[in-house]
Structure formats: structure tokens, C-alpha cells
Amino acid sequence: MKMLPYSKYSAEELNTYINNTTADAVKNSLRTATPKFNDFLHFIAPAALPLIDEIREKSAAIKKMYFGKTIRLYAPLYISSYCINNCAYCGFRSSFDHQRRRLSFDEIMNEAQIIKDMGHDSLLLITGEDPKGASVPFTAKCIRALKNKFSYINIEFYPMGETDYRTLFEAGCHGLTLYQETYDQELYKTLHLGGPKTDYMFRLNALAAGGRAGFYNLGMGALLGLNPNWRIEATNLAIHAMWIRKRFWRSRTQFSFPRITPTQGGFNVPAPVSDLDLEQMMLAFRLFFREADLFLSTREHHEFRTRMAEICVSHLSAGSQVAPGGYQAFLEGKALGQFTMHDRSSVTAVLADLKARGLEPVFKDWDPCFSA
Ligand code: SF4
């Protein structure tokens, strides 16, 4: 078990601290208006579990303070399922022989129009690492066209250097999301078996390259279910976020909490994270990173997502399709995907449920005129 290089403490020291946290320490942390890193460790400790109702209440109050009743909705658009990497847990991995697809410019615009017709105004572009199908110049061309349809565009791509990120930023992309997958370097090596993604440090440093390139939103996360100790994974994520926030304080910090779901080609999840574990982790992030955007995708069940929208998360995907051409295929009655979605509700159903809970779903919370 290893911490990421920015950590002042070893994983053993942090683990011992977390496991020795008392209920009184958690209660004290819940009372503080300016939580520190040690308070975050208290919120994720086993000792916090009996206090989960108080933690939920506190998280709901903080979320209301920063976001009111709003929940921002967005949709992913997959560009290519070709990938030169070999990640053991992914249905797009290079060693898995299956039918792949990369969308042309026109096909991307068609998918985008279907998403727009669903009501969305925020788009998340996703691709496998496919230098032929999702090159930087091609992506920049797509972004320049897509920004005429969408107020906000974010990318979840392979890591790049500052120059490439700046090209995409200047084309009109304002957000960057990049998951480290696992912050444990030893575990990372065993799961990333080929391709440029084997370079842990290049991936870790890429978010800072995005910060230097100017992205307004910097999103991060770990793929939950890989690391046998989710509390240490969450701690690494928090340390990474503090490091990024200190250096790129003009950018907004964003967190996602993707939990592995079944993929084509199969993968036995080594360390499943339960609903309660996931909830405790997300609540801890809301309590510590109070103003940050917290995302929950359609990997999770509908009931869990709407409950977390009430007390914790600020952003939900809705009506998602998770394969290149997935929206057109869905209209034609076919199902494709990088991973299994547990919430297949339509945008209309998601809107209705959020409103029934007194929330205010919004499609737009950004306008290109905010851009520098
Ligand atoms: S996780 Fe990303 S980089 Fe890895 S195989 Fe899948 S698409 Fe490629």
C-alpha cells in the first residue's frame, strides 16, 4: 500500500490514524466550521459510521448552503472505443477482442443533437486512447462545432501535455476530468498492463498540465473497487485535490466516485465498495471540500442517486449512453456500453424524481461569456 508522492505521511501512518479515530473526534469535527485534513480523516473513519445520520444532516446543510436546491444535469458522449491501453478492468482494453467503433465528425454531431433534444446543455466528451480517432486537432474541431449547441463542454480523455490541453481549452472546452484509477503505485502497475497509461506519473501530473492550460474545472477520482482499502484511496484523492487546489485556485475542484460495474470481457472486482462505504466517502468529501462539485453517474442505482442528490452531490448524468454511437443505437432499440449502467431512467424520469424531492434540476449553469 503506497501513498501518492505528495503525501507527507505513509499509508501505514494514515491507516493507523483513521482506525484509531474515536467517536468523540468525529463529533468534534462535525462541529467545526473550517474542517482541516484531520477532520476529513475522521469523517471517513470506521468510528464515523454510527454517526452517519448526523453526517448526512450536516452534509445536506452544507450542500444547501453552496448549491441551494439545484442539481446540474449533463450527458456523456463517447467518441471512440478503440484504445491502445490495456487496463484489466475495462471493456475497451486493447487485449479484448470485440467490435469497436470510432465516430466520424458527422456521427458525433448526430449523437450531440440527440443529446441536445433530450434537453441537455452540458456535454462530457469521452474516448479511449485512440490517436487515430480522437486526435487533438480532430477533437478541437468537434469542440468548436459543439460549442454552438452546448453551453458547457468537458473532456474525459487520455492524459496530455499542457500544449495539447491549451489547444482544446482555446477551442471552447472548459472542463477536464481525469481519474487516476488507483493512487497506489504498486496496484496501478498490476492493473495497467500495456500502453502509455502504464506511466503513473504522467497521468498524475496531467491534471496540473490542464490547470496550467487554463481549464476552469478540474475533475478527479479513483475507480472504486480496485484498492482493498477504500479509505486510503479516498485519502490519496483528498491529498491530490488539496495539492491541485493550492496551485490552481482559480479552477474549480470536482470529484467523481465511479464504482466498477460489470464490463464486456469480464473483470472480477477485487475489493467491492458497498453502498454505505461509497456514501460515507462522498459525505466526507462534501464536509471537507465544501464548495466542490460532486458527480454521480448512471453507474449507480436511481434511488441511491436521487437520495445522494438531496444530501450531497451537485451533478448527475441522466439518460446516458456509454458507447460510441450509443444514443443513435438506443433510438434503434440496441444497447451498447463501456460498463453496465444501473440507472437507465430517461431524462424526463430523472427530472420528475428530483422535483418530487423538492430539488431544482438545471441544465445550464455556465455560459461561454464567462470565459476569459
Ligand atoms: S480505462 Fe480508458 S485507457 Fe483503459 S482501456 Fe479503458 S478506455 Fe482505454
Side-chain angles (χ1 to χ4, degrees):
M1 205 164 43
K2 271 197 162 179
M3 299 305 292
L4 82 172
Y6 314 136
S7 178
K8 284 192 217 163
Y9 308 101
S10 71
E12 288 69 27
E13 286 169 326
L14 288 162
N15 209 31
T16 302
Y17 185 87
I18 292 166
N19 286 321
N20 289 340
T21 294
T22 63
D24 283 343
V26 180
K27 285 179 192 163
N28 284 337
S29 294
L30 278 170
R31 282 194 284 270
T32 182
T34 51
K36 309 265 187 310
F37 179 57
N38 66 320
D39 296 305
F40 173 80
L41 298 178
H42 297 167
F43 298 142
I44 58 166
L49 276 173
L51 300 165
I52 196 80
D53 285 335
E54 286 168 67
I55 293 175
R56 286 177 179 135
E57 208 175 301
K58 179 85 180 187
S59 171
I62 293 169
K63 200 212 141 191
K64 198 167 180 191
M65 193 188 310
Y66 285 91
F67 297 90
K69 294 178 178 173
T70 61
I71 290 284
R72 220 283 300 282
L73 299 182
Y74 69 97
L77 192 167
Y78 280 68
I79 293 177
S80 173
S81 54
Y82 283 82
C83 190
I84 55 175
N85 291 310
N86 195 9
C87 309
Y89 47 80
C90 180
F92 290 175
R93 66 184 182 273
S94 58
S95 65
F96 179 47
D97 186 18
H98 70 113
Q99 203 179 355
R100 295 171 192 268
R101 185 165 178 201
R102 62 171 67 99
L103 300 188
S104 66
F105 179 84
D106 288 344
E107 286 170 328
I108 291 170
M109 296 305 131
N110 179 56
E111 290 282 284
Q113 190 57 51
I114 298 171
I115 292 169
K116 186 73 187 175
D117 292 344
M118 291 158 76
H120 283 294
D121 197 38
S122 296
L123 192 65
L124 172 61
L125 293 176
I126 301 180
T127 184
E129 186 153 359
D130 176 11
K132 285 188 195 153
S135 66
V136 171
F138 177 75
T139 307
K141 178 183 165 188
C142 293
I143 290 169
R144 278 192 289 273
L146 290 168
K147 72 181 182 185
N148 297 320
K149 280 188 204 297
F150 295 90
S151 298
Y152 178 74
I153 299 171
N154 193 62
I155 50 164
E156 190 183 311
F157 269 41
Y158 47 91
M160 299 176 190
E162 184 180 335
T163 306
D164 285 340
Y165 277 143
R166 185 163 294 117
T167 301
L168 300 182
F169 175 69
E170 287 173 356
C173 176
H174 291 143
L176 166 66
T177 300
L178 187 64
Y179 302 147
Q180 189 62 24
E181 317 295 16
T182 176
Y183 285 95
D184 184 316
Q185 290 185 58
E186 295 305 318
L187 179 61
Y188 187 96
K189 261 188 228 163
T190 67
L191 293 163
H192 301 100
L193 305 168
K197 196 168 172 179
T198 51
D199 189 340
Y200 174 98
M201 286 309 296
F202 184 66
R203 193 169 188 87
L204 186 65
N205 291 330
L207 211 58
R212 290 193 297 276
F215 285 110
Y216 300 121
N217 295 313
L218 296 173
M220 58 189 84
L223 189 52
L224 303 173
L226 299 177
N227 193 323
N229 188 337
W230 69 262
R231 290 184 165 93
I232 288 295
E233 199 72 273
T235 304
N236 266 321
L237 177 59
I239 292 171
H240 189 194
M242 288 189 292
W243 189 92
I244 287 284
R245 191 172 61 171
K246 194 169 174 188
R247 283 154 186 83
F248 304 102
W249 50 269
R250 286 192 182 86
S251 304
R252 199 170 172 83
T253 312
Q254 301 183 317
F255 297 100
S256 300
F257 303 91
R259 212 166 24 161
I260 301 179
T261 57
T263 59
Q264 278 184 305
F267 175 68
N268 287 328
V269 181
V273 171
S274 71
D275 283 2
L276 187 57
D277 294 339
L278 177 60
E279 180 174 355
Q280 187 185 3
M281 179 176 169
M282 289 194 294
L283 293 170
F285 275 84
R286 174 55 69 219
L287 263 54
F288 182 44
F289 296 95
R290 297 184 161 205
E291 73 298 340
D293 295 335
L294 267 54
F295 288 60
L296 204 53
S297 79
T298 51
R299 286 173 185 265
E300 301 300 333
H301 290 280
H302 184 75
E303 191 281 329
F304 184 72
R305 285 179 3 112
T306 42
R307 191 167 65 76
M308 293 312 291
E310 278 186 293
I311 64 171
C312 183
V313 301
S314 53
H315 289 56
L316 290 180
S317 52
S320 305
Q321 298 299 329
V322 292
Y327 293 94
Q328 181 62 42
F330 181 72
L331 293 183
E332 293 165 6
K334 301 174 205 152
L336 309 166
Q338 183 192 24
F339 56 83
T340 302
M341 290 188 296
H342 286 128
D343 187 354
R344 295 186 173 274
S345 312
S346 66
V347 174
T348 311
V350 172
L351 285 175
D353 272 11
L354 293 173
K355 285 179 185 167
R357 288 171 185 251
L359 295 168
E360 191 185 326
V362 293
F363 288 109
K364 179 179 168 80
D365 69 350
W366 175 262
D367 193 275
C369 76
F370 297 150
S371 312

